[in-house]
Amino acid sequence: MLSSKVLRYAAAMGDPLSPVMERLVLFIVIATFLTALLFFALTLYKGIKHLREDRKKAKFQAALENVLFHYLFEEKSLEEVLGDPIFRAMKRDVLFQRVAIKAIISLHDNYSGIYSKKLEQFFEVSGLVNYSIARLESSKWPFIVEGVRDLSTLNHDASYSRIASRITHPHELVKMEVLLALIKMRGIGEITKFQKTGLLLNDWVQSNILYTVKKHKIAAPANLGIMLSSPNKTVVLLGVRLIRYYQVAEHDETLSGLISETADAKLKREISEVLAKNTLVN
């Protein structure tokens, strides 16, 4: 410790510590002790807080699973399950709202047909949708991303315009999530709305778009070829990749003309691969 070093130095010099030096050493010792104590207290507090939150989440999860089971599989009406006093009391808790929405989304990803529609209806009628809308309208970009994902995954069509308005947000991740949300909600044709804008679709964004198209089995739009005439070269590249994914041969002539016109080596390579693949298929 610093205090012992000071004492040893003073002893070596043969001089007793002055009152000022003694107070300084005492201050350093006390400050070091209090800092260590504060760090320990904060660590303990955080641990207890996380433990309580985990227990609370488990309690909420069990209650929600019970409500959803009755609603999805026991033919209970939405009014009946939402009238459950336990659910009504828990619904006011923000942590419950977050846990509930994540659980609904998890179920939605694993079910289709009538069950997915019932989950979407539960999300809206229960009022949980208001949590996601509040997130969407937040000034903090992580909250906006959360709201966009919730609302688009659960197909809340009434929020389409609100989500679309966030495309101008300065944060790149928000822009990408909004674009993915619009595609999930309205199809790949949403891309054509931005073909004359400066919205740049880098490889990371395009890979996410292609993943979303595959995961949600989004059908090819009738006007897919219009992307090839966009002044935005990143939109053109995405159009070529989508043509390859959908295995559409009707645009081969346009692609052949484009490959001779463009000086972009990356675009040339991608077009060549599409034409070669379409030739093998046909």
Side-chain angles (χ1 to χ4, degrees), residues 5 13 26 30 70 115 129 140 151 156 160 166 183 187-188 190 194-195 216-217 222 235 244 266 274:
K5 290 181 179 179
M13 295 297 292
L26 182 62
I30 294 173
H70 289 316
Y115 293 117
V129 65
K140 299 179 179 178
L151 294 164
H156 193 253
Y160 171 85
R166 287 300 199 173
I183 292 170
I188 201 67
E190 290 293 298
F194 306 103
Q195 65 175 356
H216 296 278
K217 298 178 174 63
V235 173
R244 179 174 185 171
K266 186 176 185 179
V274 172

Side-chain angles (χ1 to χ4, degrees), residues 73-143:
F73 306 113
E74 292 189 351
E75 302 296 326
K76 281 197 173 184
S77 70
L78 191 54
E79 290 72 23
E80 285 181 277
V81 295
L82 293 181
D84 180 88
I86 297 177
F87 176 80
R88 291 174 64 184
M90 289 182 171
K91 192 179 72 171
R92 293 189 288 269
D93 192 297
V94 174
L95 178 60
F96 174 79
Q97 294 169 15
R98 186 165 72 249
V99 169
I101 291 171
K102 300 315 171 193
I104 291 170
I105 288 176
S106 180
L107 288 171
H108 191 271
D109 286 342
N110 290 286
Y111 288 97
S112 59
I114 187 173
Y115 293 117
S116 64
K117 293 298 180 184
K118 290 182 77 171
L119 287 166
E120 291 167 14
Q121 187 180 22
F122 185 92
F123 173 64
E124 181 168 15
V125 178
S126 67
L128 291 171
V129 65
N130 295 323
Y131 169 90
S132 298
I133 291 174
R135 288 303 214 214
L136 176 64
E137 296 179 344
S138 170
S139 59
K140 299 179 179 178
W141 73 262
F143 289 170

